[in-house]
Amino acid sequence: MKGEGADRFKIAVLIINLSCLSVGIGLRVTGRIDLAERVWVAGVIFVLAALLVEIARSLRRGEVGLDIVAALSMSAALVFGETLAAAVVALMYSSGTFLESYAEGRARREMQDLLSRVPRTATRYRNGGTLEEVPLEEIAVHDLLFIRQGDVAPVDGTVESAGAVLDQSALTGEPMPVRLKRGQEVMSGSTNAGEAFDLRASRRAAESTYAGIVRLVEEAQRSKAPMSRLADRYSVLFLVVTVALATTAWWLTDDPIRAVAVLVVATPCPLILAVPVALVAGLSRAAHFGVLIKGAKSLEALARAETLILDKTGTLTDGRPQIVTIDTYADLSSGEVLQLAAAADQASTHPMAQTIVTAARGRGMVLPVPTDIEEVPGDGVSTRVNGHSVVVGGTSFVMRRIGASKDSYRVPEPGSVLVAVAVDGRLAGHLVLADALRSGTADFLARIRRQGIGRILLATGDRYAVARAVTDGLGLDAIRAELTPDQKVLLVLTERKNGLVMMVGDGVNDAPALAAADIGVAMGARGAAASAEAADVVLLVDDLGRLVSGMEVASRSRRIALESVIAGIGLSMAGMIAAAFGYLAPVEGALLQEAIDVAVILNALRALRISPPTIP
């Protein structure tokens, strides 16, 4: 509401100033010059009062802003009777702040579209199979929810029906709905674009993806961009140069109007407004494509990163073991081995067992219900499935159960795990599970190097052999393995000698390094809360390609801001010199500066239309 109130005030200032300028021009045309000037003065004083209040606030914060030059030019024009010039400068300033407000408002609307989608209640199954409407905070893990067509998923969970069609565009920027199968994960905040389906809650509402995104959005856009601070840092110098040039022109010509003309042209709206307009627009566009950047400072750092440090598990890899191959040793096919193993593993809660069950269901397999279940926690499970004796677990456990030696069978490769499957007393096969690289990792690394990253390192707590095996062929500049969290921090600090360091991670152990890096990037809002809080950027989906898109948005936004500043200030300096030599009267200078300001601010607004071609 505070932002909306400020927006309304800026609109009111613009309308009052524009009305006074228009009425004054009408009065002057009809010959009522004195009354016209009074009307112009009234409009200028209104704008000047608002500007002086803003300057006072800045000074209390210890900031000397460039808006002092704008106030000085209006005041000087009023003192020396150039009321029309003062009115044009006032219009220039009020219209510039209105354009800035428009850009920020549009950016806020795009980001707060996320906030407006937060559901307040959910439809839950009772024990008897009936439905009840419950507040969001009452949903517990494992509750079964009914998601109607058009409903927003209130919590993270898995699909319990045969399938679901979900629109994730508000979270990821992906325009096409995605089709999920039974057992696949649903991200809270997704909209049901198909038939109603059942959702098994895997997190409470406060811990779900959407709640994390909402918290991060509320934190975003609060920082002041380094480019803006740079402008303020040199504002005193700019002010001194402006006053010196105006004073010199007055002293050499004995004409105070020359000084007024210089001050009018010097009004630095391009530097005051173009930078925040472009960078805030960049924040909005990045969020639209699933990259949440926590403020303009982080956006600038993202655009200038030179070294990239990547975590392995959950960042370069999916973070969850997957079945990569199935070795068979009997007459059963690989599909039959997987089906029997998954059927038996339905009786186990071990994460590896659940991975096997999910993989089988993902292939559309119907899993019989196991009987005569005997589980040794952490080792494996023995059951009967469709009349067959089935043993699933570690190779040692399975071979002991069937009375055989494990020596003649394969040894797992670094980074992989073997799950043995025996059927009717004979070893039927091995399921080979590994935490594989994310698809498209090599392409991601090639694309991010084109964005200006010159050095890429892997930082992992895993063993070196595993890290080397997983990343073989990726062309990394270095691999640092078996690192503790504090050693990751030390690596980040050491690499700073090569330029700005960007760290990408997802776990609690990555949080210190993310905080220490110049730009920390957390993988997905469903990752560890500590990493999302410590990071400067959060990828709203676990897709490294979005980081390239975010860097492109950041780079283009920064370039647009610089273009606007250089062009605007360059033209303003040329105008100041022309005014000092008497080639521009105050009114002409004000009109020229108005044209410059509109041009550079409209150029800055181009950042609202950035659309990275790298979105997959």
Side-chain angles (χ1 to χ4, degrees):
M1 293 301 294
K2 181 179 179 181
E4 293 177 3
D7 291 347
R8 287 195 293 268
F9 179 74
K10 290 176 182 178
I11 294 172
V13 169
L14 175 61
I15 291 173
I16 291 172
N17 184 250
L18 183 60
S19 300
C20 289
L21 180 62
S22 302
V23 170
I25 291 174
L27 290 171
R28 182 160 185 170
V29 168
T30 60
R32 304 177 69 180
I33 298 175
D34 289 344
L35 185 56
E37 292 191 349
R38 293 194 191 99
V39 172
W40 288 333
V41 169
V44 172
I45 288 175
F46 185 76
V47 175
L48 187 57
L51 180 55
L52 290 174
V53 169
E54 188 61 36
I55 291 172
R57 290 174 179 169
S58 298
L59 291 175
R60 280 200 300 271
R61 296 192 299 266
E63 300 171 1
V64 180
L66 287 166
D67 43 12
I68 293 177
V69 180
L72 189 59
S73 64
M74 278 185 259
S75 303
L78 289 179
V79 168
F80 292 105
E82 293 290 338
T83 52
L84 179 56
V88 173
V89 172
L91 177 63
M92 172 180 61
Y93 189 82
S94 57
S95 61
T97 56
F98 169 74
L99 284 175
E100 178 190 27
S101 178
Y102 165 77
E104 290 182 343
R106 177 170 167 178
R108 280 199 306 269
R109 285 193 298 273
E110 286 195 14
M111 295 187 75
Q112 289 179 346
D113 278 346
L114 291 170
L115 304 180
S116 65
R117 295 166 46 82
V118 179
R120 299 286 180 254
T121 61
T123 305
R124 183 175 64 185
Y125 283 95
R126 291 176 176 169
N127 291 334
T130 58
L131 297 174
E132 61 177 346
E133 199 79 11
V134 296
L136 216 57
E137 56 269 18
E138 290 187 13
I139 299 174
V141 176
H142 303 311
D143 278 355
L144 187 62
L145 308 178
F146 182 67
I147 310 298
R148 295 170 294 229
Q149 187 174 35
D151 281 356
V152 174
V155 295
D156 293 342
T158 56
V159 178
E160 286 291 304
S161 303
V165 179
L166 293 168
D167 177 3
Q168 298 179 331
S169 58
L171 301 174
T172 68
E174 174 58 51
M176 299 300 295
V178 296
R179 186 175 296 275
L180 302 181
K181 299 178 182 178
R182 182 191 299 273
Q184 287 191 289
E185 295 183 357
V186 175
M187 187 188 307
S188 57
S190 305
T191 300
N192 182 11
E195 298 297 323
F197 70 95
D198 294 339
L199 175 73
R200 181 73 66 182
S202 60
R203 294 174 185 252
R204 294 174 57 252
E207 300 165 351
S208 288
T209 300
Y210 206 67
I213 292 173
V214 168
R215 286 193 297 270
L216 294 170
V217 168
E218 289 172 344
E219 293 175 4
Q221 295 182 307
R222 294 177 184 171
S223 73
K224 196 172 186 183
M227 289 176 66
S228 297
R229 290 200 299 270
L230 182 66
D232 288 342
R233 191 179 307 148
Y234 291 102
S235 59
V236 174
L237 177 61
F238 187 88
L239 176 61
V240 170
V241 170
T242 300
V243 172
L245 184 58
T247 304
T248 301
W250 185 359
W251 179 65
L252 291 176
T253 63
D254 200 27
D255 183 2
I257 303 303
R258 292 277 185 97
V260 174
V262 170
L263 291 173
V264 165
V265 179
T267 305
C269 284
L271 204 55
I272 297 172
L273 304 176
V275 171
V277 165
L279 298 186
V280 169
L283 294 177
S284 169
R285 295 307 290 164
H288 180 75
F289 293 114
V291 183
L292 186 60
I293 304 174
K294 298 181 184 179
K297 176 183 177 182
S298 300
L299 183 139
E300 258 224 281
L302 185 61
R304 297 188 294 118
E306 299 170 75
T307 298
L308 173 62
I309 299 177
L310 292 162
D311 174 49
K312 181 180 75 69
T313 305
T315 302
L316 275 186
T317 66
D318 286 318
R320 293 168 292 187
Q322 300 175 3
I323 297 175
V324 291
T325 58
I326 301 177
D327 297 336
T328 60
Y329 310 123
D331 296 332
L332 299 176
S333 67
S334 59
E336 290 171 320
V337 170
L338 174 59
Q339 185 180 35
L340 289 171
D345 271 338
Q346 291 178 104
S348 175
T349 58
H350 192 279
M352 206 73 73
Q354 293 305 305
T355 296
I356 294 170
V357 172
T358 300
R361 286 176 174 167
R363 299 185 188 188
M365 294 180 177
V366 177
L367 303 182
V369 178
T371 59
D372 300 336
I373 300 164
E374 181 185 351
E375 181 177 10
V376 178
D379 285 339
V381 60
S382 300
T383 68
R384 293 194 68 79
V385 179
N386 282 350
H388 297 282
S389 170
V390 180
V391 184
V392 183
T395 300
S396 297
F397 169 79
V398 172
M399 301 308 274
R400 284 198 309 270
R401 283 298 175 110
I402 63 176
S405 170
K406 68 181 182 69
D407 296 337
S408 60
Y409 295 99
R410 63 176 292 178
V411 176
E413 298 292 333
S416 65
V417 174
L418 296 183
V419 176
V421 183
V423 179
D424 295 331
R426 296 176 56 197
L427 185 66
H430 272 114
L431 306 179
V432 183
L433 285 77
D435 184 13
L437 280 177
R438 294 177 182 272
S439 61
T441 297
D443 179 59
F444 157 73
L445 294 176
R447 287 160 52 202
I448 206 164
R449 284 193 188 275
R450 290 196 293 270
Q451 287 292 327
I453 297 294
R455 183 169 165 81
I456 303 177
L457 301 89
L458 180 71
T460 178
D462 213 338
R463 291 175 293 122
Y464 181 83
V466 173
R468 186 60 182 266
V470 169
T471 60
D472 187 44
L474 291 181
L476 300 178
D477 294 292
I479 296 175
R480 301 288 184 265
E482 300 181 49
L483 299 180
T484 59
D486 60 321
Q487 288 173 327
K488 286 187 177 183
V489 172
L490 181 60
L491 176 62
V492 167
L493 299 178
T494 302
E495 286 297 322
R496 278 186 170 164
K497 67 179 184 294
N498 299 313
L500 261 68
V501 175
M502 176 163 58
M503 169 74 190
V504 184
D506 75 316
V508 173
N509 63 327
D510 297 318
L514 293 175
D518 296 295
I519 183 78
V521 181
M523 286 295 301
R526 284 181 294 176
S531 63
E533 292 295 329
D536 305 291
V537 176
V538 177
L539 305 184
L540 300 185
V541 286
D542 290 328
D543 177 5
L544 282 170
R546 300 305 173 106
L547 177 57
V548 183
S549 302
M551 291 185 69
E552 188 169 337
V553 169
S555 178
R556 289 170 63 180
S557 299
R558 185 173 182 270
R559 185 166 60 248
I560 287 171
L562 283 171
E563 288 172 356
S564 300
V565 168
I566 292 171
I569 295 302
L571 291 171
S572 294
M573 290 298 295
M576 289 167 60
I577 294 171
F581 281 98
Y583 294 113
L584 287 175
V587 173
E588 295 168 342
L591 292 173
L592 173 64
Q593 187 60 53
E594 176 76 6
I596 294 171
D597 291 343
V598 170
V600 297
I601 292 172
L602 290 177
N603 181 67
L605 286 171
R606 288 191 299 118
L608 286 170
R609 300 195 302 273
I610 295 174
S611 184
T614 52
I615 287 289

